[in-house]
Amino acid sequence: MDGGGGQLFSVDPLERQAARGHGAVTSMAAGSDVIVLGTSRGWLVRHDYTFEDAHDLDLGSGRSGDHSVHRVFLDPGGKHCVATVVHPGGAETYYHHARWPRPKPLPRLRGLLVNAVAWNRQSITEASTKEVILGTESGQIFEMAVDEADKREKYVKPLFQLTEQREGIKDLQMETAVVGNSTRYYVMAVTPTRLYSFTGIGSLETVFTSYSDRAIHFMELPGEIPNSELHFFIKQRRAKHFGWLSGSGIYHGELNFGAQHSSTSGDENFVENKGFFDYSKLGDSGTKPRSFALSEFHFLLLIGDKIKVVNRISQQMVEELVVDNTPETSRGIIGLCSDASTGLFYAYDESSIFQISTSDEGRDMWQVYLDMNHYAAALSHCRNPFQRDRVYLVQADAAFAAKEHFIAASFYAKMNYILSFEEISLKFISIGEQDALRTFLLRRLDNLTKDDKMQITMISTWATELYLDKINRLLLEDSTGSTTNSVAEPNSSEYRSIVNEFRAFLSDSKDVLDEATTMRLLESYGRVDELVYFAGLKEQYEIVVHHYIQQGEARKALEVLQRRNVPVDLVYKFAPDLIMLDAYETVESWMMVRNKLNPGKLIPAMMRYVSEPHAKNETHEVIKYLEFCVKDLENKDPGVHNLLLSLYAKKEDESQLLQFLDTKFGKGQTNGPEFFYDPKYALRLCLQEKRMRACVRIYSMMSMHEEAVALALKVDLELAKAEADKVEDDEELRKKLWLKVAKHVIEQEKGVKRENIKKAIEFLSETNNLLKVEDILPFFPDFVLIDDFKEEICKSLKDYNSQIELLKQEMDDATRGADNIRSDIGALAQRYTVIDREQDCGVCRRKILTVGGLHQVGRSYTSVGHMAPFYVFPCGHAFHANCLIGHVTRCSSQTHAERILDLQKRLSLMDRKAAKDNGANVNGESIMSTTPVDKLRSQLDDAVASECPFCGDLMIKEISQPFILPGESDEKASWDIKPQPTPQKILPMTMSI
C-alpha cells in the first residue's frame, strides 16, 4: 500500500509511430537509452535517445515471403544486439553492432529459434560481447562470442541440452563473481514450468559439463504460461534479486553471490529469502499476466492494457497504471521491458512505446517493513528521525506490552520526537519498574551528544540514585524475596554484579556528575566504599587516603599517594599516621620515590615514630630511611644528619655512631664542609648520653686537641696516644699533648719504682724521639735515684754530642761558603764581555755602540765616552738602558711599571740636585757615588735587568697578550682598505679581424 506522497510509477507515451512504417512491433529490447524494436516485416528499428536519432535495419533483404522478428536482445550498454527472425524456411539469427550499417547473420545458429540471451555484464566491452549464453526453443543452451572487428562470431558451441523434460528455454540470466584467480558463473534458465540454476568455477563449458554427472537444481511450479519470463534487478552492475513469471505465480528471491549454501539436492544454491506471489491476490479471476518487469521493490504486471504495481515485500498491489494506447490497436499492449542502466521501464504495442518512470519507489518501504514487523529492515529504509522514532515506538510498545521492560527501555531511549522524556519515565514509574527505568536512563545517556551537558548531568545523577536504591534493596532482600530487617549476604553474585556495574558507571560519568551532589548521595546511602572510589576518580585523594588509614590499610593508602598526580604535600600530611600504622611499608614507599620527597619535611613523622618504644631486635625503620638519604641520596640537610646522629647516640652499641662521625660525607666538595651535622649539638648529645669515645672524636674534629686528649685519658690510654699523634703541623702542641699523656702514665703507675721507670723509658720510644728523658724527669718524685735513668741519660748525652758535632760542621761549611761569596764578589768587579761593533739594540734596532746624544740619560748612569749606557745579558742580547726600561715598563704589570717609573723619577731628581750643587763633568761622567744613589740604581737594575726580557718570564707572559692592544685601535683602522668611489669609465673596444 502507498504511504502517501504521490504515485510511485507513471506512464507516458514515448513514440507513437515507433516502427516507422515497417510493420507491427513484435519484440523490444532496451539498454543505456537505446531501444531496438523488431517488426513483423523483418526490420530492426533502433532509437538512440542519447543522440535523438533512429536507424532502420532490414533483416529480410534478399528473401521472399514473410519475415517476422521473433525476439530482440540488447546488452545493457546498448552496443550489441542479437535478433532472431522467423521465416517460412525456418529461423535465422543476426548480430548487429551499433557502429555497423547493417546486421550480420550468424550462420552457425541457422535453423535454431533463439528465445533467450544472457549477457556477461561484468566482462562485456564495446568491442566484444565476450561470452554470451543463448537459449533455444528446443531446450538447448549455447555459448557464443562476437568481436566487432571480426564482423562474425568467434565461436558458437553447445553447452547443455534439457533431456528430462523437453521444453523450450524461455529466458536466461547470467552473473559472475571472482573467486581467487578464477571466475564463478551463476546461470538461471526458465521453461514454462521450471526454473533451472547452474553454478561452477572455470569456463562456461566446464560448468555445464560438470552437470553430466551431478543432479541439476531446479524449481518446478504447476501450471503453464506461454510467455515465461526471468528478470534480474540490477543495481551498480550487480544482480540483487530475481523474479520468475511462472504459470501459478511469481517466484522471487534475493541473490547472494558471495556466500554459498547447500541445497537439499546437494547442489550449491545462491538464492536467499525466497518468496512466491500468487496471481489470486490480484483479484482478476485468475488472469495471468502477459509480461512483467522487476524493480527494486515492486513487480510490474501487464494484465490487459493495465499495469498493476505489486509491492514485492508486502505482496500488496499499490498502484494500477492505465496505458493510453491507440484504440485502433487490436492486440493492445504486447509486453514490458526494462533498461537496467537507467532504471526505466517500457511498455509497447504494435506501433507505440510508453515510458514507465519511478518516483522514489522506496520512500514508503520503511512503513511496509514496519507493518510486517521487520524492524531492522524498516530502520534501514527510514529517511528521517521521525520515521525512525515511529519504528522505535512500535518496537518499544510491543516489548512493553509483552512485559519485556528492559528491551522496551532500550527502544524508548532511542526516541527523540514522538514521546517526551517525562512521558517515557512515567510509564516505568507507574508500574514500579525501577530497574527498567535505570536502563532507560543509561541508554538515553548513550544517545545524547556532548552539547546536552545539563541533561547529561541530571540524568546521570538520577541514574546514580537508582543504582544506590537497587543496591540497598538487594541488601535488604532475603532469600524469599520479601523485605525484612535482616541484611542479605553482600557477596551474592547479583549484588557484586550491580556494585561493579555502578562503579563502572561512576568511572564513565565522573566528568559529568556534580561532585558535591554525588558525594552527598553516596554518603546518605552509607556507601563508603563507593564514596572513596568516586573520590579517587575525582582526584580527591585526601578523602581516599584518610579512609584507608581509618581502615588500617596502610598499603592501599600508600599506593594512592604514589600516583603521579597526587600532590606531594599529602605525603607529608599523612606521614605521621602511616609510619605509625606500618613503618616498613611507609619507609619503603619513601625510599622508592627517592629524590621526589624532602626528608626534612618528614622529620616530624620520624620523630613521632622514634618517641614510641620498640623491641630490641626490631629494625629501626627511621634509621634505615635516614641512612638511605645520607648515603644513597647524598642529602646535605643538617636536620637529617642531626636526627640520624641522635638515633645512633641512643643505641647501646657505639660502633655505628663512631663510624658515622668518621665518615666525611662532604669530603671532595669545593667550598663545603666535610660534615653536615652540628658538632656542638653532637658534642652536647654525646656527653648527655655518655658516649665518651664519640666526644673524643668530636673534640678532635673541632681541633680541640687538648680537650680530646684529656677526655681520652679518662677512657683509654691508647685512644689518648692516638689523639696526641694526630697533630702533625704544630710540633709544640704535639709535644705538649704527649707530655700530658706521659704525666698521666707516670702518675698512674703504682708498681715498683724501678718497674715504673722502665715503663716510662718504654713510653719515650713510642713518641718517636719527640720527648727526651729530661722532659719527663719533672714528673718523677724528687727521691728517685739517678741510677735508675743512667742508661737513658747517657744515651741522651750522646745524642746531644752528636748534634753539637753536626752544628760545628754546618758552621764550618757556612764559613767556607762566605769566603767563596766574597771571592766571587771581588771577581765580579773585573767581569767583562766583548760586544761586536755591529751589535743592535733588541728594542730600537740601532747600534749599541752609538756615539752621540741619541738618548737622554740620567746622571746616575755611567757613560762610556760619548756612547749611551746599555745592558748586555749573558744570552747575548743587548739593549740601550732607556730602550730596556721602556720595553719592560710596557710589558710588565701596572704595579711593576709604576715602581720602575718611580725609581727612575727619584734617580732623576737626585741627579739634578747633584748637578746643581757640584756642577757637571765635561765628559758627562757621573760623579755621584753616594750610597743612596747607588742603592736606587741597584734597585732599578734589579727591576729592569734581573733577566733578559727576550729569554725570561717576561717573554713567556706576552703569549697571553692580544696581537693588537686596545690602545692600538686607531693604528688598526689605518690599515683598513676603503674603496674609493670613482666614476665608471667605458673603455673603447677594438676588434681586429
Side-chain angles (χ1 to χ4, degrees), residues 1 17 168 304 392 543 691 889:
M1 59 181 293
Q17 298 296 323
Y392 292 139
I543 297 175
R691 301 289 182 254
T889 303

Side-chain angles (χ1 to χ4, degrees), residues 731 734-736 738 764 767-772 775:
E731 192 74 15
R734 185 162 175 260
K735 185 174 182 179
K736 183 178 180 181
W738 275 107
L764 288 177
T767 64
N768 294 325
N769 298 323
L770 180 65
L771 297 182
K772 303 296 182 182
D775 294 327

Side-chain angles (χ1 to χ4, degrees), residues 216-236:
I216 303 172
H217 179 71
F218 64 88
M219 168 65 69
E220 185 172 10
L221 294 176
E224 290 190 11
I225 188 169
N227 54 326
S228 179
E229 297 179 18
L230 175 67
H231 295 293
F232 279 3
F233 171 73
I234 310 299
K235 188 173 184 180
Q236 297 177 349

Side-chain angles (χ1 to χ4, degrees), residues 640-702:
V640 174
H641 286 256
N642 288 338
L643 178 58
L644 180 57
L645 188 144
S646 67
L647 295 178
Y648 282 147
K650 292 179 182 178
K651 298 185 72 172
E652 294 181 1
D653 186 3
E654 201 175 352
S655 59
Q656 285 183 303
L657 175 60
L658 295 176
Q659 183 181 1
F660 178 77
L661 293 174
D662 289 340
T663 305
K664 304 295 190 297
F665 292 103
K667 190 174 183 180
Q669 297 181 357
T670 57
N671 301 325
E674 290 187 347
F675 48 85
F676 300 103
Y677 56 84
D678 184 358
K680 295 179 181 178
Y681 167 75
L683 180 61
R684 184 169 62 253
L685 183 66
C686 291
L687 289 173
Q688 180 182 343
E689 298 292 337
K690 302 187 184 306
R691 301 289 182 254
M692 296 307 172
R693 289 181 179 272
C695 292
V696 172
R697 300 285 177 89
I698 297 172
Y699 276 132
S700 179
M701 284 186 288
M702 296 172 68

Side-chain angles (χ1 to χ4, degrees), residues 839-983:
Q839 179 81 25
D840 293 336
C841 173
V843 177
C844 69
R845 313 311 297 177
R846 296 175 183 270
K847 298 291 187 278
I848 283 292
L849 302 179
T850 302
V851 179
L854 295 175
H855 301 275
Q856 294 296 325
V857 185
R859 300 288 297 175
S860 56
Y861 286 101
T862 302
S863 301
V864 181
H866 296 284
M867 291 183 294
F870 57 87
Y871 288 93
V872 179
F873 292 94
C875 61
H877 290 113
F879 304 90
H880 292 121
N882 281 357
C883 292
L884 179 62
I885 293 172
H887 177 73
V888 174
T889 303
R890 287 194 302 272
C891 298
S892 299
S893 64
Q894 183 177 357
T895 305
H896 191 63
E898 289 176 352
R899 181 171 177 270
I900 293 173
L901 294 175
D902 180 62
L903 290 172
Q904 197 175 18
K905 182 178 179 182
R906 289 165 62 188
L907 276 172
S908 179
L909 290 173
M910 294 182 73
D911 183 42
R912 285 197 296 268
K913 181 179 179 182
K916 183 177 181 182
D917 293 340
N918 303 322
N921 191 298
V922 176
N923 294 329
E925 294 177 353
S926 176
I927 62 173
M928 293 193 63
S929 58
T930 57
T931 302
V933 173
D934 291 339
K935 185 177 180 181
L936 285 175
R937 186 167 57 189
S938 176
Q939 291 178 1
L940 182 60
D941 288 343
D942 291 339
V944 300
S946 60
E947 60 180 358
C948 175
F950 287 177
C951 302
D953 293 338
L954 192 63
M955 178 59 72
I956 296 174
K957 293 178 181 178
E958 287 186 0
I959 295 176
S960 61
Q961 294 183 357
F963 183 72
I964 299 175
L965 298 176
E968 298 176 339
S969 57
D970 295 339
E971 181 69 18
K972 176 186 174 184
S974 67
W975 284 86
D976 292 343
I977 299 176
K978 299 179 180 178
Q980 297 180 359
T982 58

Side-chain angles (χ1 to χ4, degrees), residues 729-746:
D729 54 350
D730 191 344
E731 192 74 15
E732 185 178 353
L733 176 60
R734 185 162 175 260
K735 185 174 182 179
K736 183 178 180 181
L737 296 177
W738 275 107
L739 285 174
K740 277 191 175 184
V741 176
K743 182 179 179 181
H744 176 79
V745 170
I746 294 171

Side-chain angles (χ1 to χ4, degrees), residues 798-866:
K798 288 180 181 180
D799 290 340
Y800 283 130
N801 189 40
S802 299
Q803 291 178 10
I804 291 171
E805 292 296 329
L806 182 61
L807 287 172
K808 285 174 66 179
Q809 184 177 353
E810 290 177 355
M811 289 174 65
D812 292 341
D813 292 340
T815 302
R816 285 194 295 271
D819 293 341
N820 293 334
I821 292 172
R822 281 192 293 269
S823 299
D824 291 341
I825 292 172
L828 283 175
Q830 305 298 322
R831 185 180 179 188
Y832 66 92
T833 183
V834 177
I835 300 176
D836 192 321
R837 63 185 297 176
E838 299 298 326
Q839 179 81 25
D840 293 336
C841 173
V843 177
C844 69
R845 313 311 297 177
R846 296 175 183 270
K847 298 291 187 278
I848 283 292
L849 302 179
T850 302
V851 179
L854 295 175
H855 301 275
Q856 294 296 325
V857 185
R859 300 288 297 175
S860 56
Y861 286 101
T862 302
S863 301
V864 181
H866 296 284

Side-chain angles (χ1 to χ4, degrees), residues 316-330:
Q316 299 293 321
M317 188 174 72
V318 296
E319 286 181 357
E320 186 176 88
L321 308 177
V322 178
V323 181
D324 185 16
N325 61 324
T326 306
E328 291 81 6
T329 302
S330 58

